[in-house]
Amino acid sequence: MSHSPVSEDLLIDLTPDAASSRAGPDHKERRGVMDCIRIEGGRRLDGTIAISGAKNAALALMPACLLTDQPLTLTNVPRLADIASMITLLGQHGASVDAAFDGAGGDTRRLTLQARSITSATAPYDIVRKMRASVLVLGPLVARHGFARVSLPGGCAIGTRPVDLHLKALEALGADITLAGGYIEARAPSGGLRGDTIVFPSVTVGGTENALMAATLAHGETVIENAAREPEITDLATCLTAMGARIEGVGTNTLRVEGVSSLTAATHAILPDRIETGTYALAAAITRGRVHLSGTRADLLHAVIEHLEETGVSITPTEDGFVVDARDRVLRGVDVMTKPFPGFPTDMQAQWMALMATADGAAMITESIFENRFMHVPELARMGADVNIHGGSAIVRGRRRLSGAQVMATDLRASVCLVLAGLAAEGETIVNRVYHLDRGYETVEAKLAGCGAAIERVRG
Ligand code: UD1
């Protein structure tokens, strides 16, 4: 692998060795290295934040390299610990990796992956347990190699998160699936997967991605009904099409895939990260500041923008993004319910709660995707937020001045919600377990400090 290191030590090192060491808490805990983020709250954000490529799109696009022996080049790749974990995983399946992250010229943030042959069909427990998206190698491996052995991901902080729908989709294409020793073993019939109709009983992003990738190399036509419509799926379909896949219905909930015998080389630019965009939009709002979000698209997060405007924040489109202006505004509480795209994203729920804790009046936040995604509530309460949970809904009574505290995050979006709360709180906030943030937010402290936040990473 060739790798061009960058000078800023805030950026994640994407070499496979570094990747395996950065991918989770255990390594850091072993070394006693636990960074935290220190924030002195109460400063309005004012400035521009450049949005990175979408983590969740990258994590689906990268395994697509396993579908072909030709190179797949991705640009606008975010520099994140999860990307490093996926590089490690793909490397051990046999993909060569060439990364250019030198921060100069037009060839930056580029990743070229080439799996000339599949050298191992096993996705080991040690990688999968750190990053659930590892399960996205399943469809491509079975489709091209005829066999895959992928560790069951297990539960996570936000719920049990089974992969039964991924497996049912592959079974519909003829795969024989067994579970043994904590591993999923999936075997294609002799002659390969066969196209068929897959009906998802509920919307699953990862399940749709696995089914879509597998169907590209299946014999005949596959119809995926009740497919997820997230922009990351459209991005994956666009890339697969560039690789020679035949897909119709992109952007709708019915995808039709006519299988082809092989896929070829392609270059694809990853779409902007809509969750990072929404998070910084809410950072501007919670500090009653003004931020230009550049390198992004408002159409990726209509539901968030609509709700944000309802609170009283103004949104103005620009050539390459939009401006969020909350200066001198009294924000109102606004209810949200999480839904699959184009609804309000579950990945923005925790951040919305932080904003609502500082708004005028009450807001009801209903989580309909994950059963246990209110883990941030007790931590927000330690900062003075008034939140009551009733089943899948939380009532937030806003207008409280939050106060800084030591807090601990349980997952990626919970961590960033505590960072947002810290930006608005009086006094000092310390957010522990920063490795969660590094999984999904590139140089979060540098991006916020660039807009005037008093925020720093304290090396553990
Ligand atoms: C993806 C995103 C994640 C986001 C989620 C929902 C990535 C890498 N992650 O996760 O950030 O929060 O979409 O927008 O893209 N389910 C089952 N059986 C399955 C699969 C899913 O019951 O086989 C359930 C899940 O437990 C959950 C719901 O379906 O309650 C939606 O999950 P899904 O859309 O599959 O989420 P992910 O793809 O894991």
Side-chain angles (χ1 to χ4, degrees):
M1 169 183 169
S2 74
H3 172 75
S4 312
V6 288
S7 53
E8 305 98 302
D9 74 340
L10 287 172
L11 297 185
I12 304 279
D13 187 347
L14 288 181
T15 56
D17 284 352
S20 56
S21 72
R22 291 196 66 112
D26 52 346
H27 177 84
K28 290 193 166 190
E29 273 163 1
R30 262 201 316 277
R31 290 186 359 217
V33 177
M34 294 294 281
D35 297 354
C36 65
I37 297 269
R38 202 180 70 78
I39 302 165
E40 195 59 46
R43 299 197 184 185
R44 276 170 203 274
L45 293 191
D46 185 359
T48 296
I49 295 179
I51 299 302
S52 301
K55 168 183 83 84
N56 286 351
L59 292 177
L61 289 159
M62 291 167 69
C65 79
L66 299 173
L67 289 164
T68 172
D69 59 0
Q70 301 293 305
L72 172 63
T73 297
L74 301 172
T75 61
N76 199 29
V77 180
R79 203 176 173 89
L80 299 168
D82 270 9
I83 302 300
S85 297
M86 186 58 90
I87 288 176
T88 304
L89 179 60
L90 295 172
Q92 68 89 47
H93 288 311
S96 68
V97 181
D98 181 79
F101 284 87
D102 56 11
D107 194 37
T108 59
R109 301 171 163 270
R110 177 187 58 74
L111 199 55
T112 299
L113 301 159
Q114 183 168 14
R116 285 186 182 83
S117 63
I118 304 296
T119 53
S120 161
T122 297
Y125 175 65
D126 250 12
I127 300 180
V128 179
R129 77 188 165 88
K130 288 175 191 159
M131 187 186 56
R132 295 182 50 83
S134 305
V135 78
L136 295 175
V137 300
L138 186 63
L141 284 175
V142 184
R144 170 166 165 213
H145 186 64
F147 176 69
R149 190 169 167 269
V150 176
S151 172
L152 276 163
C156 75
I158 63 174
T160 49
R161 297 184 80 175
V163 290
D164 56 320
L165 302 178
H166 299 234
L167 306 186
K168 286 200 177 104
L170 292 175
E171 276 176 338
L173 301 184
D176 178 46
I177 311 252
T178 52
L179 301 179
Y183 278 76
I184 304 159
E185 293 191 357
R187 200 175 290 279
S190 60
L193 297 176
R194 296 180 304 264
D196 209 325
T197 298
I198 297 167
V199 185
F200 283 115
S202 60
V203 176
T204 161
V205 174
T208 303
E209 290 165 344
N210 246 332
L212 180 61
M213 287 191 277
T216 59
L217 292 182
H219 297 282
E221 189 187 58
T222 300
V223 180
I224 306 174
E225 289 180 6
N226 199 23
R229 286 183 286 162
E230 268 63 7
E232 292 74 25
I233 297 207
T234 300
D235 210 40
L236 174 63
T238 305
C239 176
L240 291 170
T241 303
M243 292 167 73
R246 294 171 60 189
I247 306 169
E248 281 177 18
V250 176
T252 75
N253 59 7
T254 304
L255 296 169
R256 285 175 187 279
V257 186
E258 186 62 43
V260 294
S261 57
S262 63
L263 296 177
T264 58
T267 296
H268 176 80
I270 298 173
L271 90 171
D273 196 310
R274 65 196 166 98
I275 305 301
E276 190 197 22
T277 306
T279 300
Y280 290 127
L282 266 56
I286 203 168
T287 62
R288 308 300 188 264
R290 179 187 179 280
V291 172
H292 177 211
L293 300 164
S294 68
T296 189
R297 286 168 32 201
D299 66 298
L300 297 174
L301 63 163
H302 265 319
V304 174
I305 287 179
E306 253 174 46
H307 285 85
L308 203 47
E309 284 180 326
E310 258 185 76
T311 69
V313 171
S314 92
I315 308 280
T316 313
T318 62
E319 277 211 341
D320 69 338
F322 57 96
V323 172
V324 182
D325 193 349
R327 289 171 303 178
D328 307 319
R329 309 289 167 106
V330 176
L331 304 194
R332 284 181 295 280
V334 172
D335 299 349
V336 298
M337 181 187 283
T338 63
K339 290 272 178 208
F341 191 85
F344 190 94
T346 174
D347 286 350
M348 286 298 301
Q349 180 259 105
Q351 301 90 310
W352 190 260
M353 188 176 289
L355 178 64
M356 290 300 96
T358 72
D360 196 357
M364 184 158 82
I365 298 178
T366 305
E367 173 58 57
S368 78
I369 311 277
F370 292 108
E371 78 267 25
N372 190 23
R373 211 172 192 179
F374 286 136
M375 304 285 279
H376 43 285
V377 170
E379 299 299 308
L380 281 176
R382 299 187 65 250
M383 299 180 71
D386 181 353
V387 185
N388 279 298
I389 301 174
H390 303 274
S393 294
I395 306 284
V396 187
R397 293 188 176 82
R399 212 55 201 298
R400 290 247 182 136
R401 186 83 170 117
L402 298 177
S403 56
Q406 283 243 18
V407 285
M408 178 87 72
T410 45
D411 70 66
L412 170 57
R413 307 305 169 184
S415 315
V416 87
C417 119
L418 297 171
V419 169
L420 296 193
L423 293 175
E426 222 159 69
E428 184 184 85
T429 295
I430 306 274
V431 182
N432 293 300
R433 301 203 170 176
V434 169
Y435 55 82
H436 286 301
L437 274 178
D438 291 337
R439 288 187 42 227
Y441 289 89
E442 186 173 325
T443 62
V444 64
E445 62 275 35
K447 289 190 182 188
L448 290 169
C451 292
I455 180 170
E456 61 174 359
R457 177 178 296 240
V458 181
R459 301 280 177 194

